[in-house]
Amino acid sequence: MQLLTSVNLGLNSERARGMMIERLRAQGIEYEPVLAAMQQVPRHIFVDQGLASRAYENNALPIGYGQTISQPFIVARMIALACYPSKPQRVLEIGAGCGYQAAVLAQMIETVHTIERIYPLYQMAQRYLEALGLKDRVRLKFGDGQLGWEQAAPFDAIIIAAAGKTIPQNLLHQLAIGGRLIAPIGTTEQRLAYIQRTAPNHWQKHELEAVRFVPLKSGIQI
Ligand code: SAH
């Protein structure tokens, strides 16, 4: 009986994910590898059980500590941008939250680095990623992501999942030449930015659509 229930849940969530992918396509996500990766990752595992039935709606959902799991559309959009013009080999995410975006990235990229500044969320991400067998593919660190991850740099792509007034200098310097950084910029009004490091001392910035993210904060929270 228990087995049957879990099989049913599995099939239902796969269908729900399929519908989510179709909606993402309809909203303009054309990059097939990210859609395939999102079809693989059970988003309902990353939210509180009470919210699991809403996991495949195109919404951000609360994960505690005033933070959210990002909206599926924005996850797809940022990863698609990070993979343009070519799929990166080394990726750094700032703001792991519960680990969903890192899990999606890990379907596409061999090793993903991600940092979270709120300790209980770091622990939550660790637990979920381990449950999905992604512990080795995702290097998760507790700390202030604004400092980046010097020992693992340079990165072909950096995705910031929280909005600051400016892009932290360390992160710009930890990009490989040709690498790009995708991040929301702004406080009350935010825009997504695509920044490419074109030379050792040159970064080219393109401003994209308006977005809404939780704030990028300094320091750590235990
Ligand atoms: N990537 C997540 C998004 C979580 S929301 C997902 O897949 O849904 C953004 C996260 O960024 C929050 O958990 C917040 O605590 C974290 N954050 C904010 N400022 C940070 C910083 N300086 N360093 C690391 N994480 C930060």
Side-chain angles (χ1 to χ4, degrees):
M1 187 60 202
Q2 206 177 358
L3 180 67
L4 267 181
T5 313
S6 64
V7 167
N8 283 340
L9 273 178
L11 286 177
N12 285 340
S13 88
E14 201 176 317
R15 268 193 60 207
R17 273 201 297 288
M19 285 159 67
M20 175 182 82
I21 301 303
E22 286 319 309
R23 282 195 301 272
L24 291 174
R25 264 206 191 91
Q27 286 180 291
I29 303 293
E30 292 174 347
Y31 187 62
E32 288 301 324
V34 77
L35 295 173
M38 289 175 79
Q39 176 70 56
Q40 295 304 314
V41 180
R43 189 169 184 258
H44 65 278
I45 302 283
F46 291 83
V47 297
D48 194 81
Q49 268 196 2
L51 292 172
S53 65
R54 297 178 50 200
Y56 298 104
E57 294 169 9
N58 189 25
N59 287 320
L61 294 169
I63 54 172
Y65 310 92
Q67 308 304 319
T68 55
I69 179 171
S70 297
Q71 190 192 21
F73 177 80
I74 202 72
V75 169
R77 173 81 172 132
M78 290 210 289
I79 295 178
L81 286 167
C83 292
Y84 181 81
S86 58
K87 199 159 92 176
Q89 284 184 347
R90 300 182 73 78
V91 176
L92 173 66
E93 179 197 35
I94 308 302
C98 57
Y100 175 69
Q101 178 156 265
V104 174
L105 282 165
Q107 310 301 311
M108 308 167 59
I109 289 151
E110 207 169 289
T111 314
V112 175
H113 290 79
T114 183
I115 308 176
E116 174 54 52
R117 67 173 287 279
I118 299 180
Y119 194 71
L121 289 180
Y122 157 79
Q123 285 181 309
M124 190 188 283
Q126 202 168 35
R127 213 169 52 239
Y128 293 156
L129 291 167
E130 196 167 334
L132 292 178
L134 295 173
K135 202 173 141 237
D136 294 336
R137 293 180 79 103
V138 181
R139 308 250 157 90
L140 173 65
K141 178 158 119 171
F142 169 59
D144 182 351
Q146 294 181 103
L147 306 173
W149 196 323
E150 188 68 54
Q151 300 87 331
F155 297 98
D156 305 312
I158 298 179
I159 295 177
I160 311 183
K165 275 188 199 154
T166 56
I167 303 292
Q169 282 296 317
N170 283 305
L171 297 180
L172 291 172
H173 284 276
Q174 288 176 23
L175 273 180
I177 310 299
R180 53 267 173 199
L181 184 151
I182 320 299
I185 307 184
T187 47
T188 45
E189 301 216 329
Q190 305 170 4
R191 276 193 177 275
L192 203 58
Y194 176 102
I195 296 168
Q196 190 164 27
R197 187 176 194 181
T198 50
N201 285 310
H202 195 257
W203 290 263
Q204 210 168 50
K205 178 174 157 193
H206 301 271
E207 276 202 12
L208 306 169
E209 67 267 24
V211 286
R212 212 173 62 203
F213 279 81
V214 296
L216 183 70
K217 293 191 174 168
S218 297
I220 51 166
Q221 183 180 323
I222 304 285

